[in-house]
Amino acid sequence: VPERPTLGNTDYAFEMAISNIRYGEGVTKEVGMDLQNLGARRVCLMTDKNLSQLPPVNAVLNSLAKYSINFQLYDNVRVEPTDQSFMDAINFAKKGEFDAYVAVGGGSVIDTCKAANLYASSPTSDFLDYVNAPIGKGKPVTVPLKPLIAVPTTSGTGSETTGVAIFDFKELKVKTGIASRAIKPTLGIIDPLHTLSMPERIVANSGFDVLCHALESYTALPYNMRSPCPSNPINRPAYQGSNPISDVWALHALRIVAKYLKRAIRNPEDREARANMHLASAFAGIGFGNAGVHLCHGMSYPISGLVKTYKPKDYNVDHSLVPHGLSVVLTSPAVFAFTAQIHPERHLEAAEILGADIRTARIKDAGFILADTLRKFLFDLNVDDGLAAIGYSKADIPALVKGTLPQERVTKLSPRPQTEEDLSALFEASMKLY
């Protein structure tokens, strides 16, 4: 450490920021006590319509009732939120004048709650003030936020550990977000009992998000090659590039995915597998929440944003939707074949963790080996055969590239810089996987 000397105006430091985390079967019952300990008098409980009828929300409601917590329920969170759905939640939060928040759900719910907390705490701010540049102004958050307790019900986003909130910006048909350490939850309550109510495809797609979080953060541009070096630490981005602490979390998460994801998908009664994937989501969140992700995520945002008619199995939604984890993983074979010429040994190490035999492998073949390993992994899990299978064709590639270009917050963390032609080739290579 550092892996190589800093050059010119590159950064020289990295910073680790994560939420407090509490893990244990049934630990959700403590949330009422936590709010009591915080002295909370007006609590906002956020979830979505599907979850509001399921055991995780019931467990929270029981705890709030037991400890006489005064709360208001907002269950209108949109799965894969938009700027409009964020604004609806923000308006609810502003009217409620809450002094604490509880988010029960997947990344969509937790991210929506982060945004509601931020803008209710900064009521005079314009919505685009905190949205990532170049779409928004990307201003640093300097206002104090209220405590937010996140209770994840999926094993994917790791949103309970990170200072990132993602949404679809409807006008431009791209996903973007808000990234600031200030918006990370105060506490993540990781209760593996909540994973038992997840349907098979939601387990799969959530797990693919963990897989890509781990792979992308481990292969990201090293922190001391990222530029510019901030003039003030408040301007150091949440996503800083790969670093020695994030690497530990990313590799550990990858090993858990390799061991448990297939089991968690195939057998909903496999409590050990589902509990481990719930932890892996948080581990990968700690890794990528500080190192960042790169091309799989950058390219996934227009794949989600430009969706036409695709409706995934096991998702009870009234709109077309490409689940986030699916939109991320479909480009992964092409992406890692492309990035492997930089840090090939890291790509080879990842392939080995995922089951490849690398004893006779040549270092220059690292990208192809990892890409083939990923294809086999996805084929075994019945994943749609590339972008063509979810409704895209070569004619859509210019629009997909155009939607990727504003995602500089993540694409610039790719270890290998890419041109528009490179992005076109990556989308084309991802049309069919098998």
Side-chain angles (χ1 to χ4, degrees):
V1 186
E3 289 177 12
R4 47 173 67 105
T6 53
L7 308 164
N9 188 29
T10 53
D11 210 339
Y12 66 98
F14 67 91
E15 185 171 325
M16 290 300 289
I18 64 163
S19 308
N20 286 356
I21 287 173
R22 184 183 302 148
Y23 174 89
E25 278 203 12
V27 75
T28 307
K29 65 177 178 283
E30 296 181 357
V31 70
M33 279 186 277
D34 288 314
L35 292 163
Q36 209 173 55
N37 295 341
L38 288 166
R41 300 191 183 286
R42 290 178 63 81
V43 174
C44 174
L45 171 58
M46 281 204 178
T47 190
D48 64 46
K49 286 277 193 289
N50 291 334
L51 271 164
S52 62
Q53 311 300 319
L54 293 174
V57 171
N58 265 337
V60 171
L61 289 173
N62 289 340
S63 185
L64 298 184
K66 183 176 178 182
Y67 295 97
S68 306
I69 301 297
N70 174 34
F71 72 94
Q72 280 182 269
L73 175 68
Y74 179 87
D75 64 359
N76 212 23
V77 170
R78 189 180 194 271
V79 177
E80 304 294 340
T82 64
D83 47 335
Q84 287 115 318
S85 77
F86 265 20
M87 287 305 299
D88 190 65
I90 289 163
N91 289 334
F92 180 86
K94 282 180 175 174
K95 283 187 193 130
E97 297 181 349
F98 302 109
D99 56 9
Y101 293 81
V102 179
V104 188
S108 298
V109 173
I110 300 172
D111 287 6
T112 300
C113 199
K114 289 173 184 173
N117 187 9
L118 171 61
Y119 289 96
S121 302
S122 185
T124 58
S125 293
D126 181 64
F127 181 66
L128 287 176
D129 281 353
Y130 297 122
V131 172
N132 299 321
I135 291 168
K137 295 178 186 166
K139 287 184 178 176
V141 177
T142 54
V143 294
L145 271 64
K146 300 292 189 276
L148 190 167
I149 297 175
V151 186
T153 57
T154 61
S155 306
T157 64
S159 185
E160 69 278 6
T161 71
T162 71
V164 180
I166 302 293
F167 64 92
D168 273 315
F169 194 61
K170 281 300 213 186
E171 190 186 330
L172 299 177
K173 290 194 171 173
V174 292
K175 264 189 161 54
T176 182
I178 300 157
S180 167
R181 292 177 191 87
I183 68 170
K184 70 182 188 302
T186 317
L187 173 65
I189 290 184
I190 301 172
D191 186 339
L193 292 181
H194 299 334
T195 66
L196 301 176
S197 50
M198 267 199 294
E200 178 208 351
R201 277 297 104 185
I202 293 181
V203 177
N205 292 325
S206 305
F208 298 147
D209 201 17
V210 179
L211 171 67
C212 289
H213 285 157
L215 286 171
E216 289 172 73
S217 61
Y218 190 57
T219 56
L221 187 78
Y223 75 95
N224 56 341
M225 294 185 70
R226 193 198 77 255
S227 61
C229 183
S231 55
N232 184 311
I234 198 170
N235 297 320
R236 183 166 281 121
Y239 287 180
Q240 303 158 88
S242 61
N243 61 73
I245 302 181
S246 284
D247 289 349
V248 174
W249 293 98
L251 284 179
H252 191 55
L254 196 58
R255 290 190 180 99
I256 298 175
V257 168
K259 184 173 180 182
Y260 289 111
L261 179 56
K262 288 182 184 177
R263 280 174 50 183
I265 293 167
R266 288 171 178 159
N267 180 7
E269 302 301 314
D270 190 336
R271 290 172 82 126
E272 181 192 355
R274 291 213 166 180
N276 273 284
M277 283 305 302
H278 211 35
L279 261 184
S281 173
F283 292 164
I286 296 167
F288 93 85
N290 293 284
V293 285
H294 56 82
L295 287 178
C296 296
H297 272 75
M299 294 167 68
S300 81
Y301 297 142
I303 294 170
S304 296
L306 297 168
V307 60
K308 299 170 184 177
T309 56
Y310 185 76
K311 283 200 178 160
K313 182 171 168 272
D314 291 341
Y315 286 74
N316 182 16
V317 288
D318 59 3
H319 50 276
S320 300
L321 168 74
V322 182
H324 173 63
L326 181 63
S327 70
V328 169
V329 87
L330 288 176
T331 62
S332 63
V335 162
F336 293 110
F338 172 79
T339 57
Q341 61 176 248
I342 316 290
H343 291 321
E345 64 291 340
R346 288 193 169 215
H347 290 69
L348 209 51
E349 185 182 0
E352 183 178 35
I353 290 170
L354 292 171
D357 182 351
I358 63 165
R359 284 173 299 185
T360 57
R362 295 179 302 181
I363 199 84
K364 67 175 188 179
D365 294 332
F368 301 112
I369 292 167
L370 180 52
D372 280 347
T373 306
L374 287 165
R375 278 193 202 95
K376 181 175 184 306
F377 196 79
L378 299 180
F379 183 77
D380 285 351
L381 291 169
N382 304 318
V383 174
D384 304 75
D385 187 8
L387 298 178
I390 62 167
Y392 288 104
S393 69
K394 284 187 182 176
D396 297 307
I397 289 176
L400 291 166
V401 171
K402 187 181 172 199
T404 307
L405 294 175
Q407 310 299 336
E408 292 178 359
R409 181 181 64 92
V410 292
T411 56
K412 284 198 166 167
L413 287 172
S414 166
R416 182 178 171 190
Q418 66 290 153
T419 61
E420 288 187 39
E421 290 72 27
D422 290 330
L423 290 170
S424 294
L426 290 171
F427 279 117
E428 189 166 345
S430 303
M431 284 291 163
K432 191 165 169 54
L433 291 183
Y434 314 124

